[in-house]
Amino acid sequence: MEKAYKLLAMQENISFNEAKKLIDSGKVFAFDKKIKIARAMMKPNTKFKIAHTQKPKKIFEDKNIIVINKPPYISSEEISKLYDTPLLHRLDKDTSGILILVKDKTFQKKAINEFKNQNVYKEYLAWVSGIVSEPITIDMPLKVIKSKSGAYSKIDKFGQPAITEIEPVKAFRSKSEIKAVIHTGRTHQIRAHLSYINHPILGDEKYGGKNAKRVMLHHHKFKIFDYEFSVDVPKDFTIMEEYND
């Protein structure tokens, strides 16, 4: 047996440090499962697969904003640095879809007020465990817990108000694709709410989701002021039979 990062380094002819970074970024798989721990002991003949990050694609720009179609495996902060433009909002690293960068400070202030007043439309698509057969409105407050392993949201009566509307899109065996519209923008809101109703997002093991290539969540549509954008799901946003029930 040998440490995963050492085996990966030998397979890809890269340094140990590069191999560790790849594993920590969530891009390395073996036996159709994501490798979570760089120092995990694995068999010497293990064959790894690496999910290569696509380049972010700019789909719109004017004097106020830049709109990016964000691929998974790259953080919002990395994209902000890439375009040297501040973020208007954030998406989790594994989440794909619409990401807005803001160029004008006056517009930024107005936009932040729209978020606060819940005048922004945010629609996501997700693959979840179980069959979702009818619309569900989840109105449960969320409290953010911060730790060394990152932020985590939980249902708490003393938390901030959070409302998520769920609608079924389609089903595959014991899994469902759903549409989620959020009226508030709490940390991990969709992830925590779906876990609460026992339909965790596939790949979202932090909230009880089953193993998948990534957290299967995509920011599909976004509306603010007179702006309206939508982006199709990426190629990896599919459910294959290898995802065990």
Side-chain angles (χ1 to χ4, degrees):
M1 302 290 280
E2 184 55 274
K3 293 182 177 67
Y5 76 90
K6 292 185 177 181
L7 294 173
L8 178 64
M10 288 186 285
Q11 176 181 300
E12 298 296 318
N13 194 27
I14 57 178
S15 70
F16 287 165
N17 192 46
E18 288 175 304
K20 286 180 182 177
K21 286 182 178 179
L22 278 173
I23 293 173
D24 291 342
S25 69
K27 298 178 184 178
V28 182
F29 298 79
F31 310 109
D32 294 321
K33 292 187 177 181
K34 185 185 295 185
I35 305 302
K36 304 175 189 175
I37 303 172
R39 295 179 178 276
M41 302 302 292
M42 307 193 73
K43 294 180 180 180
N45 62 348
T46 300
K47 298 297 181 183
F48 297 95
K49 293 181 181 179
I50 300 173
H52 295 285
T53 304
Q54 298 176 350
K55 290 184 178 180
K57 183 179 179 181
K58 182 169 66 177
I59 61 174
F60 178 84
E61 181 176 5
D62 67 4
K63 65 179 182 179
N64 296 318
I65 59 175
I66 300 174
V67 184
I68 303 297
N69 185 1
K70 177 190 173 300
Y73 310 116
I74 183 170
S75 71
S76 297
E77 289 74 16
E78 288 177 274
I79 293 176
S80 177
K81 289 180 181 179
L82 182 65
Y83 287 90
D84 193 25
T85 306
L87 295 163
L88 179 60
H89 67 110
R90 287 173 172 78
L91 297 178
D92 293 334
K93 191 171 187 176
D94 271 10
T95 303
S96 56
I98 299 166
L99 181 70
I100 310 293
L101 309 179
V102 61
K103 298 167 64 176
D104 181 81
K105 289 186 178 180
T106 300
F107 177 87
Q108 183 180 34
K109 290 179 181 179
K110 292 179 180 178
I112 289 172
N113 282 331
E114 291 295 281
F115 275 88
K116 288 180 179 178
N117 294 326
Q118 299 181 22
N119 291 328
V120 180
Y121 181 82
K122 295 164 285 185
E123 178 185 313
Y124 290 74
L125 296 173
W127 276 100
V128 303
S129 293
I131 300 301
V132 179
S133 58
E134 59 185 17
I136 306 167
T137 297
I138 309 164
D139 186 354
M140 297 298 294
L142 292 170
K143 182 178 181 179
V144 179
I145 308 298
K146 294 184 178 179
S147 66
K148 292 182 180 179
S149 60
Y152 180 88
S153 288
K154 70 172 186 175
I155 305 297
D156 190 300
K157 64 181 180 179
F158 298 112
Q160 294 182 306
I163 302 173
T164 306
E165 291 184 5
I166 305 297
E167 289 185 20
V169 176
K170 60 185 175 184
F172 174 80
R173 294 170 65 181
S174 63
K175 309 165 188 68
S176 300
E177 183 180 6
I178 58 95
K179 178 176 77 174
V181 176
I182 54 174
H183 297 278
T184 48
R186 309 306 178 198
T187 299
H188 297 175
Q189 177 174 324
I190 297 173
R191 298 167 62 183
H193 272 175
L194 285 169
S195 178
Y196 173 74
I197 63 170
N198 297 317
H199 291 294
I201 299 173
L202 297 180
D204 190 8
E205 296 180 39
K206 190 169 190 175
Y207 288 90
K210 293 183 178 180
N211 179 71
K213 62 188 79 174
R214 67 173 176 95
V215 177
M216 300 297 280
L217 183 63
H218 175 77
H219 189 195
H220 179 50
K221 291 183 180 179
F222 179 86
K223 301 177 187 178
I224 187 171
F225 301 123
D226 293 330
Y227 295 105
E228 183 174 344
F229 306 101
S230 65
V231 293
D232 293 334
V233 296
K235 291 181 180 180
D236 75 341
F237 199 79
T238 55
I239 294 302
M240 312 292 257
E241 290 190 11
E242 67 261 22
Y243 292 163
N244 296 324
D245 293 338

